[in-house]
Structures are given as C-alpha cells and as structure tokens.
Amino acid sequence: MLVRSGILTSADGDAVAVENVNADGAVVLVCEHASSLLPTAAGTLGLSSEALSSHIAWDPGALAVSRLLSAKLDALLVHQRFSRLVYDCNRPPESPAAMPEKSEIYEIPGNRDLSVAERYARTAAIYVPFHDRISAELASRAAAGRPSVLVTVHSFTPIYFGKPRAVEIGILHDTDTRLADVMLDGAAEAGRFRVERNSPYGPEDGVTHTLRLHALPAGHANVMIEVRNDLIANSVDQEVMADYLAGLIADAVSSVGRQ
Ligand SMILES: [Zn+2]
C-alpha cells in the first residue's frame, strides 16, 4: 500500500504547477501559498466557507502578482496548487505549522491529532513533489551555466488577532541579505509604500524555510516578499504592485550581479 494514496487522486491533479518554463530571466519565482484549493479527500477540514477563503487557507493576490512578475521579469514561476491548510510548503515536515491545528483565530478540526501515517502521506503528496521540482529546476539551470535568483512571493492579512498592521510590504531575508539590502534601499528612495525589513514577521518565526532549503546552500541570491493583501485585492492594484516590485527586483538583481 502506498501511504500517499488517498490524499491526491488523479482528479485533483498535480501538487506543483510550473509556468513560463522557457523563461530567460535570472529570477525564479516561488509561490507556496498560491491556492486555497483542498484535495477532494480532505473535505472541508471541518472549516466554514469563510475560513476556507480567508488568509489562513492561502495568500490572496500572491499568485496573481507572481504571474505578473513572471511576465515582467521573464521569470520561471513555481507554485503550489493546494491550500497550506493541508500542508504549508514554507514549513519543514517536523514543524507543527506544516499541518497546523490552529491558525490565527481558527481551530482546524481536520488537522487535529493527525497520525504519523497521515502526516507522512501529506508530506509525500504535497511537500516533497513541490520542493523536488524547485530543486530540479535550479539544478538544470545550474547545469546549463545559468544563474538563479530565488524570489518567493506572499501576502499577509491587514488585521491579525484584531490588530491592524501598518507595514505595507515586507522584505524578508535569512542570513543572505544581499538582495534585500538593495531592495530596501530602492524602496526607501522611491518612498511610495511603507516597506520594512523582516516584517510583519521574520526568520525567527520560521518563515524562511524555502530560502534556507533552496537558496542558502547553493549561494543563490534570494528574498521573500510579503505584500499586505488589501493592496492587491483587484487586478488594477495587482498590476501597480507588480510594476513596483518588478522595478525593485530588477535593480537589485543587476546590482548583486555586479558585486
Ligand atoms: Zn505566505
């Protein structure tokens, strides 16, 4: 018996999606929280439709902005097709946040007391193929002598535990600050949005897993971008934000390339 069977069926499709496969640009975009979709076998996880469409299930607007960035930067885009409620691909399997029993104000009944076999099945079906694909793309680029710059794209909720968040864009990094430093300088110069370093949370909260897994060991310049989701709630605002971010990213990539 395959333990992973029963999580994803052929009707659900693949866990990972890749767009702009033949992109020429140096940037590789990753969107771990692109979708609120649940595999059929997961049901509703015991959640209301309000919870299932909220920020606990996905990063609203993040995939739309990622797709615009992919076009503007001619960048490969890898995104997860299923909700982070089933498996949060920006967390390692040993983290309680990978399959959370609670997220902000919501209890998640379908994630309560998961057995080792259930945790393994979700990891094997959702997490492993996602990160294997990113590894494979980065490896094939390296083999072809092409540089890669890893940029992960997220959105965050404007109100968390009842408190409004003033920061509009977070530029997050782990131990490699090269790209983030230049982007933060560029943002300060532009003065257009309230942009902050490692905000509204940072590496101490365990949010740099994808960067740590794929970029740091190989020395790829990298950054994680967090956009407050009320700023990317419609296609006009998404276009404005993607334009702004594409400018910051492109300048930072060329600056780091010159170092
Ligand atoms: Zn996210």
Side-chain angles (χ1 to χ4, degrees):
M1 183 192 83
L2 272 175
V3 181
R4 75 185 69 182
S5 65
I7 298 296
L8 291 186
T9 66
S10 54
D12 288 316
D14 292 335
V16 55
V18 183
E19 298 184 14
N20 206 359
V21 189
N22 298 315
D24 262 340
V27 172
V28 174
L29 295 161
V30 171
C31 194
E32 299 97 318
H33 305 149
S35 172
S36 60
L37 184 68
L38 291 173
T40 312
T44 63
L45 296 173
L47 290 164
S48 67
S49 56
E50 181 229 336
L52 288 174
S53 60
S54 78
H55 73 94
I56 71 161
W58 65 316
D59 287 356
L63 179 59
V65 170
S66 298
R67 284 179 165 148
L68 292 168
L69 287 173
S70 170
K72 290 172 195 297
L73 299 167
D74 196 13
L76 180 77
L77 167 61
V78 182
H79 59 95
Q80 171 56 244
R81 289 192 55 251
F82 294 98
S83 170
R84 66 170 166 204
L85 292 170
V86 179
Y87 191 108
D88 183 334
C89 280
N90 196 27
R91 294 292 191 287
E94 65 274 19
S95 166
M99 294 160 254
E101 295 190 13
K102 195 172 179 191
S103 181
E104 201 203 359
I105 54 173
Y106 300 94
E107 299 282 344
I108 305 161
N111 286 355
R112 213 174 283 148
D113 300 323
L114 293 176
S115 67
V116 171
E118 286 169 320
R119 297 182 73 85
Y120 176 83
R122 291 191 190 189
T123 304
I126 309 278
Y127 174 85
V128 172
F130 183 71
H131 286 290
D132 272 358
R133 184 61 188 264
I134 298 169
S135 295
E137 295 291 345
L138 291 171
S140 82
R141 293 166 66 96
R146 296 183 56 196
S148 294
V149 172
L150 187 68
V151 177
T152 68
V153 180
H154 295 258
S155 74
F156 63 92
T157 179
I159 296 172
Y160 193 62
F161 284 109
K163 279 200 186 142
R165 283 163 158 166
V167 57
E168 295 181 307
I169 299 170
I171 304 293
L172 285 70
H173 58 78
D174 202 280
T175 52
D176 179 352
T177 69
R178 289 174 293 168
L179 213 59
D181 289 344
V182 184
M183 287 181 70
L184 284 158
D185 286 348
E189 214 167 285
R192 188 155 158 209
F193 291 101
R194 181 163 171 173
V195 184
E196 295 180 8
R197 183 187 298 268
N198 287 333
S199 178
Y201 29 75
E204 67 282 4
D205 302 300
V207 299
T208 49
H209 176 63
T210 296
L211 306 184
R212 295 175 68 94
L213 192 58
H214 297 289
L216 298 186
H220 302 306
N222 63 91
V223 73
M224 172 177 176
I225 299 173
E226 283 276 4
V227 181
R228 207 175 67 198
N229 70 31
D230 58 310
L231 299 172
I232 47 173
N234 61 61
S235 58
V236 174
D237 290 348
Q238 288 160 0
E239 184 71 44
V240 168
M241 185 58 68
D243 257 339
Y244 173 78
L245 293 174
L248 287 185
I249 295 166
D251 287 350
V253 168
S254 62
S255 163
V256 168
R258 284 195 302 270
Q259 282 172 14

